[in-house]
């Protein structure tokens, strides 16, 4: 299956509308930043690395028709677009990283003509997309070494092709293991309330020919108790300096369960997911989403009492001591995390 989640095509952004999966593989075209904002908010595009790429292309789309004659006017427009896109979802570090990369290209080339800066912004967004493809394959390369033939791997949410440009982080490790000839069975948590595991992960694994069994989130403990899981691998939305990791709500449950059952718990993420200004997980901003995601079956039919109070954080934070290792595009990071994250992530400029 060769699909691309996001791409620039004929002056607009073409992306898969993930809310239509698994029923339809439908593409959507964004011609303005309002549609991009809405697409991200509604999770038509989701997954941390995909958000970074979408944000970068969004910046270009937002300023490409600017009529500003000098950088002072152009810079104002650029900042407005960036602040707007930054307001759609708060947790994934990659979204802000994508925006910051675009800002930095423009700011460090202020003296150039606006037409040249626009071209440079387009090039930067395209290189974020191409780098993501490479970075995910590097995560797969390092992570695959942790996988044994016949491993039974539990995952949550979707950290695959659909969450990146075309390969995945946690699922990228599995794709690489399969390529190396290893037989893997994946257990996918359905991932309440938005069902990314049920709708997206099972869809893409099936298309890739990987054995996958869908479970309700509450079934993970039983599977582990029965000795049917050897490893847990998840993605990440933001990783603090000490290794505490924000990821889809329910990830922390799996980490606690893995610790109790002595099952290795791995996080797979690119360097762009690390936020070294945040020292510990408690300072990671956590998105809270609409109550309707919990009370209505996909906004179609009520499944809870009317006007019920709802708690709906989209992410939780897994403390570093529950994480066996973090698989990155720079290599595998093991505890002690502060020291090793600094060594592997903070000191590298690539
Ligand atoms: O709310 P979502 O679907 O954007 O959440 C996505 C996740 O939690 C993923 O695990 C994470 O972004 C990593 S994707 C490679």
């Amino acid at each position: 299956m060769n699909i691309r989640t996001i791409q620039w095509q004929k002056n607009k952004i073409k992306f898969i509308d993930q809310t239509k999966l698994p029923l339809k593989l439908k593409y959507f075209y964004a011609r303005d930043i309002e549609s991009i904002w809405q697409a991200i908010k509604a999770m038509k595009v989701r997954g941390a690395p995909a958000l970074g790429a979408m944000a970068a292309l969004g910046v270009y789309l937002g300023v490409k028709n600017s009529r500003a004659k000098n950088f002072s006017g152009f810079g104002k427009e650029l900042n407005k677009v960036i602040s707007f896109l930054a307001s759609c979802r708060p947790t994934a570090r990659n979204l802000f990283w994508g925006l910051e990369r675009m800002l930095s290209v423009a700011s460090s080339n202020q003296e150039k003509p606006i037409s040249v800066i626009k071209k440079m912004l387009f090039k930067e967004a395209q290189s974020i997309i191409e780098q993501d493809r490479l970075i995910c394959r590097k995560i797969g390369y390092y992570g695959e070494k942790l996988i044994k033939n016949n491993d039974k791997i539990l995952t949550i949410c979707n950290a695959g092709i659909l969450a990146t440009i075309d390969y995945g982080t946690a699922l990228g490790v599995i794709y690489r293991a399969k390529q190396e000839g290893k037989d893997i069975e994946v257990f996918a948590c359905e991932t309440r309330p938005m069902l990314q595991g049920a709708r997206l992960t099972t869809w893409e694994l099936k298309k890739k020919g990987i054995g996958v069994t869908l479970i309700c989130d509450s079934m993970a403990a039983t599977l582990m108790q029965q000795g049917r899981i050897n490893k847990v691998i998840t993605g990440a939305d933001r990783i603090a300096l000490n290794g505490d990791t924000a990821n889809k709500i329910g990830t922390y449950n799996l980490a606690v369960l893995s610790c109790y059952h002595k099952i290795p718990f791995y996080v797979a993420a690119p360097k762009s997911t690390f936020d070294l200004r945040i020292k510990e997980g408690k300072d990671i901003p956590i998105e809270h989403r609409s109550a309707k995601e919990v009370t209505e079956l996909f906004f179609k039919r009520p499944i809870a009492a009317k006007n019920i109070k709802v708690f709906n954080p989209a992410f939780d934070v897994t403390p570093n001591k529950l994480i066996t290792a973090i698989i990155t595009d720079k290599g595998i990071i093991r505890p002690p995390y502060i020291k090793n994250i600094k060594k592997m992530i903070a000191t590298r400029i690539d």
Side-chain angles (χ1 to χ4, degrees), residues 220-331:
T222 292
L223 268 182
M224 289 187 183
Q225 189 181 45
Q226 293 176 356
R228 294 170 63 187
I229 300 293
N230 311 102
K231 283 176 183 89
V232 177
I233 312 183
T234 78
D237 274 79
R238 200 184 287 234
I239 304 176
L241 177 65
N242 72 346
D244 290 352
T245 294
N247 191 49
K248 181 51 55 196
I249 192 76
T251 303
Y252 173 44
N253 304 32
L254 298 183
V256 172
L257 287 171
S258 302
C259 178
Y260 181 79
H261 292 96
K262 303 199 170 30
I263 295 167
F265 180 93
Y266 298 111
V267 168
K271 185 180 164 190
S272 49
T273 301
F274 286 79
D275 189 345
L276 304 182
R277 290 165 304 187
I278 289 194
K279 294 206 167 50
E280 346 176 0
K282 68 173 175 45
D283 296 323
I284 297 177
I286 298 292
E287 175 184 18
H288 283 251
R289 293 183 58 90
S290 158
K292 283 194 173 159
E293 290 183 351
V294 178
T295 58
E296 294 181 12
L297 193 63
F298 242 79
F299 311 106
K300 292 217 169 82
R301 158 169 112 75
I303 52 165
K306 221 174 164 187
N307 296 328
I308 200 75
K309 273 196 275 177
V310 168
F311 175 62
N312 185 20
F315 302 95
D316 58 24
V317 175
T318 298
N320 59 7
K321 60 173 181 250
L322 297 180
I323 301 171
T324 311
I326 306 175
I327 307 161
T328 77
D329 48 313
K330 307 293 167 207

Side-chain angles (χ1 to χ4, degrees), residues 18 40 43 45-51 89 92 94 132 136 155-164 168-171 191 194 196 199-200 234-238 246-249 251 268-270 273 287 289 314-315:
Q18 301 189 26
I40 295 177
M43 291 184 179
V45 175
R46 33 69 48 206
L51 295 187
R89 292 190 78 187
N94 309 59
D132 178 78
C136 286
T155 190
I156 186 165
C157 197
N158 172 267
I161 294 170
L162 294 164
T164 59
T169 56
L171 298 191
T191 319
M194 294 302 283
Q196 291 92 329
R199 294 185 299 107
L200 310 176
T234 78
D237 274 79
R238 200 184 287 234
N247 191 49
K248 181 51 55 196
I249 192 76
T251 303
T273 301
E287 175 184 18
R289 293 183 58 90
F315 302 95

Side-chain angles (χ1 to χ4, degrees), residues 20-21 44 90 93 120 123 126 136 141 153 167 171 174 198 208 217 221 237 240 264 296 302 316:
K20 299 279 182 281
L21 286 169
K44 289 180 180 181
R93 169 65 194 142
M120 294 178 89
K123 221 169 134 208
Q126 289 292 21
C136 286
Y141 166 81
I153 301 174
Y167 199 73
L171 298 191
I174 291 162
K208 285 285 215 174
D217 301 336
D237 274 79
E296 294 181 12
D316 58 24

Side-chain angles (χ1 to χ4, degrees), residues 28-45:
F28 190 92
Y29 295 85
R31 294 172 173 81
D32 52 58
I33 54 168
E34 286 74 24
S35 332
I36 294 175
W37 195 97
Q38 288 298 343
I40 295 177
K41 187 77 182 169
M43 291 184 179
K44 289 180 180 181
V45 175

